[in-house]
Amino acid sequence: MSRLAIVTTLQVAQGRLAEYLPLLRAHRERCLNNEPGTLQIDMLQPVDDPAGILIYVVYRDEAASIAHRDGPNLARHGKEAAGLLLGATGTRCLVLD
């Protein structure tokens, strides 16, 4: 089964990126440490949009992606980031070897 990557664009409340980033970093560490199927998480800042954030996540497979989506780490992050994270849109990709 192929690894799955999701590239997500986060919509952070205007002027609150500096407040949000520590929460996102803590979320990344929890996921990498507690979700065996979450293999990689990179946080990206577009050069032409210093207020924007993209996330690149690689999962072992579809089941690992679902476990993350439905698991406690994402639920916790949603609660912690309430009012800071306004939305997210993602693109699901197969990782080609």
Side-chain angles (χ1 to χ4, degrees):
M1 183 156 268
S2 296
R3 289 175 292 150
L4 178 70
I6 300 179
V7 181
T8 303
T9 301
L10 301 178
Q11 298 152 342
V12 180
Q14 187 171 356
R16 304 198 64 192
L17 182 61
E19 188 179 350
Y20 176 67
L21 283 177
L23 298 175
L24 184 58
R25 288 183 179 107
H27 174 65
R28 175 182 61 190
E29 291 308 310
R30 281 191 301 272
C31 293
L32 291 172
N33 291 329
N34 301 322
E35 297 175 1
T38 301
L39 305 177
Q40 175 181 343
I41 302 175
D42 294 323
M43 300 168 26
L44 310 168
Q45 187 172 47
V47 173
D48 60 349
D49 181 10
I53 292 291
L54 299 173
I55 306 297
Y56 175 76
V57 183
V58 178
Y59 298 100
R60 178 183 55 230
D61 53 22
E62 178 72 22
S65 168
I66 292 168
H68 170 76
R69 182 195 69 202
D70 296 341
N73 291 321
L74 190 58
R76 177 179 173 178
H77 184 68
K79 289 177 187 174
E80 292 176 346
L84 299 174
L85 184 59
L86 303 178
T89 56
T91 301
R92 298 164 45 81
C93 307
L94 294 178
V95 177
L96 302 176
D97 293 320

